[in-house]
């Protein structure tokens, strides 16, 4: 006897289990995975979805109830997306409801249309022919995705090597086959300049899922995709679930980006999930980057992925920029206390003379613009979190963890001294000093404060691209998204700050940031120069980034990961325990550690911690961390499910 497993009340997210129902013979041909059905439930009659079948049930046959009918009014769920949700539930440890809600579009009405800046359509002859290197990559990928068991393709191409043209070539071939494609781009790079290239090539059969769209507009795009009215969807990680009828290709651009990792449940990683979705759909998948994640490059070295390389810049005559490292300790010793090294200051002056543009990139990870009392040393902290408050425009102090905000006090709340001051946010400080040193330069600043309004990010970048300013100052944000042909100098301030973030991926992130930032210089045939200012010139992440030598970085970093059994050399799981009671959190964390030590003794998992988290309190919750390492990811998942089921404090578990 075959029963249907039905999940009910998806929208409420409370009931997270399936119920088995008898399939009446007259419905046998109409019930599939994904069918919307009506079923008896207690004394009511409710809506549900079939998500699988079973021949074993707990109840005796006479207690089992029948599916009433197939619900004609609802859309059937894509079979593939349900299978994907099941895989996400197992892989990332969330409830089936959470997984389903992530993969299924939420039905919303369009209330107001988002006004988009004009996307001017360029005529098609503007499409450059692929150069030989690009052609080889495109043909190689095309062959791979048509193999019987295609592997994921890694397109490793230096900055400016023209990966986008390769994507477009592949997409047009997929469309010619009558199939559809998904292109994932990090939200921050979803600028009109980038999207315009696709719209001009593929016309109005392109759907763009940027964050400025309302929920209704997003739903409308997904419906068009389902009905076959679109060939291509471009968007951030959630665009991965576009319900195309015949998906042929998924491309993940800048696959190393951390924004592809969801930070709410299900904590899925979009590149990995893209590979699974492609496999279920029988589609190809391309991961592209100038600085591939350690995971992806190792997979390519192990031949689990096929790798294709672009070694040269695409624009004829454009070369990788020259990079100089300046040692800021040396500068200080020679009496230079400015934020710019002598070399960088001199070069800024020269470029301004020549009417060329400059980008100053502040590596802000780990940097806090905190406020302190010069008399007693008190630092202004958030009353709910273990972090210092950050100074913002309008003389307000803001907690970046919980959003708590308070006016900047006039005097020190502890000793009453009036000498209480901040150092501004990093970018504001750099802006002030730059204007002082180069009073005639037109300076633009881009950070959270200047870009919090809709479209302002876009407007600032467009204005700089048009040459309305000489110097653009910003954080990670300015690294992505636009081509600035007139930029011939990139200054990277405080290159090493991100090395000290307490995370085993900090060297990798630093290398990525520096390489991407350096890659902004000299894009259009002019020679570019990059100056990296650092206090640790000998660190391999900085040294290899200055040579734009990914392979050298990868080798060094892999040694470290192997030594420490960090991913991708090993598997690791992080358990974060949170509780308003400090003791309770610590006790529960210790319990988990001893339980794992006792019950999994034979498998020898490595347990690190528990210990207080780097930020020990957020929103009045005390935080304890515990890491478990083991070579077998399956074992970690078993431990995860076990820990998930325990009674006790709130916890977040993530396989890293
Ligand atoms: P990437 O994404 O690899 O950093 P892009 O795709 O943004 O590089 O391309 C960099 C620049 O090279 C763009 O201005 C693009 O128009 C140009 N370009 C790409 N391919 C070609 C080509 N075959 N011939 C001429 N220019 C090209
Ligand atoms: Zn004080
Ligand atoms: Zn706070």
């Amino acid at each position: 006897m075959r029963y249907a497993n039905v999940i009910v009340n998806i929208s409420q997210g409370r009931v997270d289990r399936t119920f088995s129902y008898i399939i009446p013979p007259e419905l046998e041909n109409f019930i599939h995975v994904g069918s919307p059905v009506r079923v008896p439930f207690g004394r009511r009659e409710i809506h549900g979805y079939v998500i699988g079948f079973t021949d074993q049930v707990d109840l005796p046959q006479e207690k089992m109830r029948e599916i009433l009918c197939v619900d004609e009014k609802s859309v059937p769920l894509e079979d593939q997306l349900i299978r994907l949700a099941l895989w996400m539930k197992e892989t990332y440890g969330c409830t089936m409801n959470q997984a389903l809600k992530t993969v299924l579009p939420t039905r919303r009405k369009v209330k107001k249309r988002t006004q988009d800046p004009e996307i001017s359509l360029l005529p098609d002859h503007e499409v450059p022919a692929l150069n030989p290197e690009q052609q080889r990559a495109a043909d190689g990928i095309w062959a791979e995705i048509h193999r019987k068991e295609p592997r994921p393709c890694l397109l490793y191409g230096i900055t400016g090597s023209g990966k986008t043209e390769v994507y477009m070539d592949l997409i047009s071939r997929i469309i010619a086959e009558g199939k559809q494609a998904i292109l994932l781009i990090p939200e921050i790079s979803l600028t009109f300049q980038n999207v315009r290239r696709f719209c001009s090539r593929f016309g109005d059969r392109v759907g763009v899922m940027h964050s400025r769209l309302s929920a209704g507009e997003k739903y409308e795009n997904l419906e068009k995709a389902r009905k076959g009215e679109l060939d291509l969807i471009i968007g951030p990680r959630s665009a991965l679930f576009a319900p195309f009828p015949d998906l042929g290709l998924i491309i993940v651009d800048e696959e190393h980006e951390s924004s592809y990792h969801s930070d709410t449940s299900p904590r899925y990683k979009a590149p990995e999930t893209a590979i699974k979705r492609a496999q279920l759909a029988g589609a190809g998948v391309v991961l592209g980057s100038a600085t591939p994640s350690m995971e992806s490059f190792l997979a390519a070295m192990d031949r689990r992925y096929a790798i294709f390389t672009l070694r040269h810049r695409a624009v004829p005559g454009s070369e990788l920029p020259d990079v100089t490292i300046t040692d800021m300790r040396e500068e200080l010793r020679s009496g230079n206390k400015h934020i710019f090294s002598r070399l960088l200051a001199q070069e800024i002056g020269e470029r301004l003379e020549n009417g060329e543009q400059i980008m100053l990139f502040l590596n802000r990870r780990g940097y806090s613009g905190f406020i302190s009392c010069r008399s007693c040393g008190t630092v202004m902290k958030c009353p709910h979190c273990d972090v210092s408050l950050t100074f913002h425009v309008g003389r307000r102090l803001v907690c970046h963890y919980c959003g708590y905000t308070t006016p900047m006090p006039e005097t020190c709340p502890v000793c009453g001294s009036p000498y209480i001051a901040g150092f501004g946010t990093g970018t504001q400080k750099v802006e002030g000093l730059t204007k002082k040193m180069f009073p005639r330069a037109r300076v633009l600043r881009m950070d959270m404060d200047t870009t919090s309004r809709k479209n302002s990010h876009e407007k600032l970048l467009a204005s700089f691209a048009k040459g309305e300013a000489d110097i653009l100052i910003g954080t990670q944000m300015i690294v992505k998204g636009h081509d600035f042909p007139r930029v011939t100098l990139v200054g990277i301030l405080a290159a090493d700050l991100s090395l000290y973030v307490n995370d085993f991926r900090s060297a990798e992130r630093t290398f990525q940031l520096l390489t991407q930032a350096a890659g902004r210089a000299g894009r259009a045939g002019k020679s570019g120069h990059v100056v990296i200012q650092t206090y640790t010139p000998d660190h391999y992440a900085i040294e290899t980034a200055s040579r734009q030598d990914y392979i050298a970085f990868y080798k060094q970093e892999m040694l470290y990961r192997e030594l420490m059994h960090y991913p991708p050399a090993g598997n690791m799981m992080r358990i974060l325990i949170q509780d308003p009671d400090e003791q309770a959190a610590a006790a529960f964390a210790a319990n988990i550690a001893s339980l794992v030590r006792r019950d999994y003794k034979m498998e020898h998992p490595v347990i690190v911690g528990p210990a207080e988290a780097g930020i020990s309190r957020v929103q009045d919750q005390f935080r304890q961390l515990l890491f478990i390492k083991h070579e077998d990811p399956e074992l970690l998942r078993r431990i995860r499910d076990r820990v998930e089921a325990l009674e006790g404090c709130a916890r977040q578990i993530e396989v890293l």
Side-chain angles (χ1 to χ4, degrees):
M1 183 78 178
R2 198 169 77 123
Y3 302 91
N5 289 335
V6 174
I7 188 155
V8 297
N9 275 336
I10 293 186
S11 54
Q12 266 145 43
R14 290 213 168 257
V15 192
D16 189 52
R17 50 165 294 195
T18 56
F19 298 89
S20 301
Y21 287 89
I22 295 169
I23 306 166
E26 70 276 15
L27 289 183
E28 189 66 48
N29 290 333
F30 300 95
I31 302 265
H32 312 281
V33 168
S35 300
V37 289
R38 294 199 73 78
V39 290
F41 195 79
R43 263 175 288 164
R44 287 177 303 144
E45 193 185 283
I46 60 171
H47 178 79
Y49 284 104
V50 176
I51 66 163
F53 299 96
T54 181
D55 47 19
Q56 288 191 347
V57 288
D58 298 338
L59 292 175
Q61 171 73 17
E62 61 276 13
K63 290 242 169 114
M64 297 293 296
R65 304 167 82 179
E66 281 191 2
I67 291 178
L68 300 169
C69 62
V70 175
D71 200 336
E72 302 292 346
K73 274 178 288 183
S74 309
V75 253
L77 300 180
E78 302 333 279
D79 181 359
Q80 272 170 30
L81 288 176
I82 292 184
R83 284 172 211 271
L84 189 63
L86 274 167
W87 176 86
M88 287 168 77
K89 170 189 151 87
E90 258 134 51
T91 310
Y92 303 113
C94 59
T95 65
M96 190 60 193
N97 274 317
Q98 284 170 328
L100 282 172
K101 272 197 227 161
T102 306
V103 305
L104 299 176
T106 350
R107 192 178 290 241
R108 290 281 161 73
K109 286 223 170 64
V110 181
K111 294 202 190 87
K112 216 173 85 203
R113 295 257 158 224
T114 308
Q115 279 292 322
D116 278 345
E118 283 286 300
I119 295 180
S120 60
L121 298 185
L122 305 170
D124 264 343
H125 62 73
E126 301 254 352
V127 175
L130 297 186
N131 64 34
E133 200 180 46
Q134 287 169 318
Q135 192 67 52
R136 261 199 307 280
D139 292 345
I141 292 170
W142 189 251
E144 179 68 37
I145 64 183
H146 286 82
R147 278 169 45 157
K148 205 138 132 257
E149 275 175 31
R151 290 174 293 168
C153 298
L154 177 63
L155 180 60
Y156 159 54
I158 63 165
T159 53
S161 58
K163 294 183 283 296
T164 311
E165 294 299 328
V166 175
Y167 302 153
M168 289 206 276
D169 182 70
L170 292 167
I171 291 167
S172 63
R173 294 199 218 181
I174 281 290
I175 294 174
E177 281 190 338
K179 296 185 177 178
Q180 303 88 38
I182 295 171
L183 170 64
L184 300 190
I185 296 188
E187 178 74 47
I188 205 152
S189 318
L190 263 176
T191 59
F192 290 99
Q193 200 196 30
N194 276 340
V195 170
R196 190 176 52 209
R197 288 162 78 182
F198 289 90
C199 294
S200 66
R201 179 110 168 229
F202 302 111
D204 56 3
R205 294 183 61 85
V206 179
V208 183
M209 304 282 281
H210 56 75
S211 61
R212 297 174 294 275
L213 292 184
S214 66
E217 289 170 307
K218 284 182 186 157
Y219 180 70
E220 190 178 62
N221 267 336
L222 296 177
E223 269 307 287
K224 280 191 187 163
R226 183 203 304 282
K227 291 192 208 133
E229 292 166 17
L230 297 180
D231 294 329
L232 170 63
I233 280 212
I234 304 177
R237 62 171 188 253
S238 59
L240 183 53
F241 308 110
F244 277 125
D246 197 1
L247 182 64
L249 180 64
I250 306 177
I251 297 168
V252 186
D253 188 29
E254 312 279 9
E255 65 88 29
H256 62 276
E257 272 284 311
S258 53
S259 65
Y260 283 133
H261 295 198
S262 165
D263 49 14
T264 55
S265 199
R267 294 169 185 277
Y268 68 98
K269 299 172 183 164
E272 192 178 59
T273 310
I275 291 169
K276 186 66 191 178
R277 170 135 206 232
Q279 190 200 350
L280 289 170
V285 59
V286 177
L287 310 179
S289 178
T291 53
S293 67
M294 297 297 290
E295 278 75 8
S296 297
F297 206 77
L298 177 65
M301 294 297 98
D302 290 349
R303 299 181 188 276
R304 283 176 283 130
Y305 294 1
I307 184 169
F308 302 90
T309 309
L310 303 177
R311 290 189 176 80
H312 306 283
R313 285 206 155 175
V315 172
S318 160
E319 290 298 325
L320 279 178
D322 285 330
V323 181
T324 310
I325 300 181
T326 55
D327 182 346
M328 295 308 277
R329 297 168 307 186
E330 200 57 50
E331 295 288 322
L332 196 64
R333 261 179 245 136
S334 327
N336 176 14
K337 294 194 183 111
H338 293 289
I339 54 164
F340 301 127
S341 60
R342 287 159 298 178
L343 176 70
L344 183 56
Q346 181 199 331
E347 295 226 355
I348 293 175
E350 283 172 18
R351 308 293 153 142
L352 289 174
E353 284 291 314
N354 295 344
E356 293 168 4
Q357 285 182 309
I358 299 148
M359 285 171 98
L360 295 178
F361 167 73
L362 182 70
N363 187 352
R364 227 196 72 109
R365 273 179 163 249
Y367 189 101
S368 62
F370 63 90
I371 306 288
S372 63
C373 169
R374 299 282 161 85
S375 305
C376 75
T378 298
V379 173
M380 302 300 135
K381 282 192 154 184
C382 173
H384 309 289
C385 310
D386 173 39
V387 292
S388 51
L389 295 167
T390 306
F391 187 79
H392 278 243
V393 279
R395 296 186 62 78
R396 297 200 69 75
L397 302 182
V398 179
C399 170
H400 284 181
Y401 280 80
C402 73
Y404 170 86
T405 149
T406 181
M408 164 88 178
E410 298 293 331
T411 55
C412 172
V414 174
C415 74
S417 155
Y419 299 107
I420 167 169
F423 301 91
T425 59
T427 38
Q428 275 171 322
K429 184 184 171 193
V430 174
E431 182 190 27
L433 292 169
T434 307
K435 282 180 170 164
K436 219 187 223 165
M437 259 173 108
F438 305 99
R440 300 223 320 272
R442 295 165 302 162
V443 181
L444 267 184
R445 172 171 60 91
M446 193 161 136
D447 58 21
M448 287 306 221
D449 285 334
T450 59
T451 57
S452 50
R453 273 200 258 130
K454 278 193 175 184
N455 292 337
S456 46
H457 167 227
E458 189 69 39
K459 279 187 196 137
L460 273 174
L461 290 178
S463 147
F464 186 63
K466 272 188 260 165
E468 291 168 3
D470 306 304
I471 303 180
L472 177 63
I473 298 173
T475 54
Q476 275 86 308
M477 287 179 158
I478 66 172
V479 173
K480 305 284 161 50
H482 271 241
D483 243 2
F484 301 109
R486 264 173 293 192
V487 171
T488 56
L489 175 65
V490 169
I492 303 175
L493 315 178
D496 28 20
L497 277 180
S498 56
L499 284 175
Y500 304 114
V501 179
N502 184 12
D503 176 344
F504 72 89
R505 291 200 170 95
S506 60
E508 183 181 1
R509 297 258 178 275
T510 302
F511 177 84
Q512 287 163 352
L513 279 170
L514 297 185
T515 308
Q516 301 279 351
R520 293 282 110 195
R523 280 211 154 202
K526 280 188 202 152
S527 68
H529 192 197
V530 179
V531 178
I532 297 181
Q533 301 194 161
T534 176
Y535 290 90
T536 46
D538 303 326
H539 192 287
Y540 65 93
I542 297 196
E543 197 267 323
T544 53
S546 80
R547 288 189 279 124
Q548 307 250 316
D549 190 345
Y550 174 82
I551 306 290
F553 171 77
Y554 170 82
K555 286 184 180 156
Q556 274 278 342
E557 181 68 9
M558 208 57 209
L559 289 178
Y560 161 69
R561 304 281 176 103
E562 271 162 12
L563 186 70
M564 303 299 291
H565 301 287
Y566 284 141
N571 289 289
M572 185 156 107
M573 181 164 78
R574 181 178 59 195
I575 307 178
L576 172 69
I577 317 282
Q578 308 197 70
D579 201 272
D581 180 342
E582 192 171 4
Q583 245 93 58
F588 186 57
N591 269 345
I592 295 175
S594 48
L595 177 142
V596 173
R597 203 164 282 130
R598 187 189 66 217
D599 293 1
Y600 300 89
K601 199 154 78 196
M602 306 301 286
E603 288 93 345
H604 304 290
V606 176
I607 301 172
V608 183
E612 211 172 63
I615 292 162
S616 65
R617 187 168 55 122
V618 170
Q619 288 183 314
D620 294 320
Q621 302 275 323
F622 290 90
R623 293 147 52 98
Q624 289 272 328
L625 270 182
L626 179 65
F627 292 91
I628 302 174
K629 297 190 214 171
H630 198 269
E631 62 267 19
D632 180 10
E634 255 328 296
L635 177 81
L636 292 182
R637 282 188 202 126
R638 285 212 307 279
I639 297 178
R640 177 194 67 204
D641 292 345
R642 180 82 191 284
V643 172
E644 202 74 81
L646 294 175
E647 295 280 328
C649 312
R651 72 218 78 152
Q652 260 175 31
I653 309 179
E654 197 174 353
V655 179
L656 298 169

